[in-house]
Amino acid sequence: MLKSICAFTGHRPAKLPWRYDETDSRCTALKEILQKQIEALAGAGITDFFTGMAEGADQYCAGIVLALRRNAPALKLRCILPCQGQENKWSAPARARYHAILEQADSVEFVSRDYYDGCMLARNRRLVDAAGLLLAVYNGALRSGTGATVHYARKMGRDIIVIDPATRIVTHETQNSNLKQEAT
């Protein structure tokens, strides 16, 4: 069952080279790579995609799954949220995007009704626990939520695809630690 499930993790806009400017060519290039990776995963039998719905990479991936689902209705988008109101301090357009994605999701689950210190980490662990594969937009920073999620996925023996947001190099890590890099 886990083999048919992929979870997403990645940096928020503040940690991405283009920050909030999604028209930046680097962001556009990353989204193209994400689309190719998600299409390949769907073609290989992944049907369920889990997101934590943070701004940035989580929502880029969610949007791609929703677009692909139009022609592949077997694909499912499942949202695992840290708490109700995760989006309350975001800009109005960011909140609108968040709610538009949630309305189209196949399922929405909350780790907690209320925010508590550690609910984001609990959400990230639940994403990894639910999936056999983690797709991460990750710059290598160890002290980050994305870094902690990638570390936890390694500890749990998950296959991992890492896309560096700056270089766009794609690295595949399998459970038996074979590394394969793709040029983009």
Side-chain angles (χ1 to χ4, degrees), residues 51-68:
T51 179
M53 287 297 292
E55 286 186 281
D58 288 10
Q59 291 185 22
Y60 301 165
C61 293
I64 291 166
V65 171
L66 291 174
L68 292 174

Side-chain angles (χ1 to χ4, degrees), residues 74-89:
L75 299 183
K76 305 293 181 209
L77 179 66
R78 307 200 182 279
C79 301
I80 299 179
L81 310 178
C83 59
Q84 292 182 0
Q86 167 179 234
E87 78 289 6
N88 287 348
K89 294 182 180 178

